[in-house]
């Protein structure tokens, strides 16, 4: 069962929503209309150019300068970037739209006034009203959680997490880094699940990375599909953490503390 509680100090550090669609070469002509519709939530804007890089086999007789031609700003991919004052960002490209947030700690819990789903819905409603998008090639929802680390002890770690890291074989006291990664099909959807545990002098970190995605859907199905992906991620998160982690999240975040 997915977690319904809104925590004072949640583990989530970043959440990303993304859709990919066929290249829309006319998007530049309509970006101003989209900006007008979302400017209340995304008042800051910028145009970014991502340079295209070509790799060539130079051979012994040539210098790299012989293969570099002058580039102006229009030679790279254009990214229209819009930022809120609260801590989330919208990037629009000719074939992709992404919303990244470090503010939102809940997807759609009615107890919170800052729900990530509301931002997604607002952006998609305005985007699809301005642009005729024939189909969505891929839709994804990703949560990156930085979780508390108990003592560097196998038994203590198991009290906090139902981990898939091989701690039954490799003792945490003797391990500097562990990582597990899988992509699994869940019904018609996919989940990319990753655990990363690092012990270093500056800051030991334990990262849970959940990336749910699916392919080939209609634009009007985006929000419902995102709900499904969130449900998959939430259930997997619930399977991974145990009650001591929930107790940790219920405590107010201490200033200057990272774990």
């Amino acid at each position: 069962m997915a977690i319904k509680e809104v925590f004072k100090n949640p583990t989530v550090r970043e959440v990303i929503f993304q859709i990919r669609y066929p290249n829309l070469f006319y998007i530049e002509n309509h970006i101003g209309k989209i900006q007008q519709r979302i400017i209340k939530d995304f008042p800051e804007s910028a145009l970014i150019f991502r340079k295209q890089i070509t790799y060539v086999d130079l051979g012994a007789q040539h210098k790299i300068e012989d293969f570099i031609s002058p580039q102006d700003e229009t030679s790279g991919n254009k990214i229209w970037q819009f930022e809120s004052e609260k801590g989330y960002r919208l990037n629009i490209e000719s074939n992709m739209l992404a919303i990244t947030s470090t503010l939102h700690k809940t997807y759609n819990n009615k107890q919170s006034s800052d729900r990530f789903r509301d931002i997604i819905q607002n952006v998609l409603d305005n985007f699809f009203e301005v642009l005729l998008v024939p189909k969505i090639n891929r839709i994804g929802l990703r949560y990156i959680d930085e979780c508390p680390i108990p003592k560097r002890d196998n038994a203590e770690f198991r009290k906090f997490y139902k981990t898939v890291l091989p701690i039954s074989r490799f003792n945490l006291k003797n391990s500097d880094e562990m990582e597990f990664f899988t992509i699994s099909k869940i019904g018609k959807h996919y989940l990319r699940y990753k655990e990363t545990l690092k012990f270093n002098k500056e800051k030991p970190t334990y990262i849970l990375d959940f990336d749910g995605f699916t392919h080939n859907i209609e634009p009007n199905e985006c929000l419902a599909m995102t709900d499904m992906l969130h449900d998959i991620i939430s259930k997997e998160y619930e399977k991974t953490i145990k009650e001591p982690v929930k107790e940790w999240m219920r405590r107010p975040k201490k200033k200057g503390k990272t774990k």
Side-chain angles (χ1 to χ4, degrees):
M1 183 177 179
I3 298 174
K4 302 296 182 181
E5 186 175 353
V6 177
F7 297 97
K8 296 179 180 179
N9 184 29
T11 59
V12 62
R13 292 296 174 261
E14 188 173 32
V15 56
I16 303 110
F17 167 82
Q18 183 193 82
I19 57 173
R20 298 179 186 174
Y21 38 83
N23 262 309
L24 305 177
F25 297 117
Y26 55 85
I27 196 170
E28 185 172 3
N29 297 328
H30 298 278
I31 202 70
K33 293 180 181 179
I34 297 173
Q35 182 183 22
Q36 288 178 340
R37 288 170 172 264
I38 64 172
I39 197 167
K40 182 178 179 181
D41 291 313
F42 299 89
E44 302 295 327
S45 59
L47 176 58
I48 300 172
F49 295 88
R50 181 186 292 140
K51 293 297 184 182
Q52 297 177 346
I53 301 175
T54 302
Y55 294 92
V56 295
D57 184 3
L58 300 178
Q61 304 300 320
H62 301 283
K63 297 179 180 179
I64 191 169
E65 290 82 358
D66 298 334
F67 293 86
I68 298 178
S69 59
Q71 292 184 335
D72 58 21
E73 289 183 333
T74 61
S75 64
N77 294 332
K78 290 184 178 181
I79 304 173
W80 292 274
Q81 187 173 96
F82 306 93
E83 294 192 16
S84 77
E85 297 174 345
K86 293 183 176 181
Y88 44 92
R89 181 176 68 250
L90 167 65
N91 283 355
I92 299 177
E93 300 182 43
S94 63
N95 64 345
M96 185 183 71
L97 178 150
I99 307 171
T100 303
S101 175
T102 56
L103 163 74
H104 296 91
K105 307 305 181 184
T106 182
Y107 176 73
N108 195 33
N109 197 306
K110 303 304 179 183
Q111 301 177 46
S112 174
S113 59
D114 289 310
R115 295 181 291 269
F116 193 49
R117 188 182 190 273
D118 293 343
I119 295 298
I120 295 173
Q121 182 174 15
N122 178 46
V123 169
L124 291 183
D125 285 349
N126 288 297
F127 187 74
F128 291 141
E129 285 178 13
V130 173
L131 294 174
L132 179 61
V133 181
K135 66 175 181 178
I136 303 300
N137 296 333
R138 184 186 188 276
I139 183 170
L141 183 66
R142 182 180 180 187
Y143 278 81
I144 301 173
D145 292 80
E146 185 176 349
C147 302
I149 301 176
K151 294 180 181 179
R152 194 170 178 175
D153 177 82
N154 286 19
E156 286 296 317
F157 196 79
R158 286 194 182 98
K159 291 179 182 179
F160 276 62
Y161 304 101
K162 188 177 180 180
T163 181
V164 292
L165 295 174
I167 61 176
S168 59
R169 180 174 177 180
F170 299 99
N171 197 301
L172 292 181
K173 293 180 180 179
N174 303 320
S175 302
D176 291 332
E177 183 175 347
M178 287 189 185
E179 187 170 88
F180 173 84
F181 168 83
T182 185
I183 297 178
S184 300
K185 191 172 184 180
I186 302 176
K188 297 180 180 179
H189 316 298
Y190 293 86
L191 177 68
R192 174 186 174 275
Y193 174 87
K194 186 177 181 181
E195 282 188 52
T196 305
L197 178 61
K198 294 182 180 181
F199 291 102
N200 55 54
K201 295 180 180 179
E202 295 181 359
K203 182 186 176 185
T205 56
Y206 177 51
I207 304 296
L208 295 175
D209 191 337
F210 305 88
D211 187 1
F213 59 94
T214 194
H215 301 96
N216 300 323
I217 65 170
E218 297 297 320
N220 60 6
E221 297 176 328
C222 278
L223 201 58
M225 198 62 61
T226 309
D227 290 344
M228 293 181 187
L229 295 176
H230 174 265
D231 190 52
I232 291 172
I233 291 172
S234 184
K235 288 177 180 177
E236 289 300 324
Y237 179 73
E238 172 74 358
K239 291 177 184 178
T240 306
I241 67 168
K242 295 183 178 181
E243 189 60 31
V245 181
K246 296 178 184 179
E247 290 296 329
W248 181 88
M249 291 193 292
R250 291 183 182 114
R251 302 196 305 262
K253 186 174 183 180
K254 296 180 180 180
K255 294 183 178 180
K257 298 291 183 180
T258 58
K259 64 170 185 169

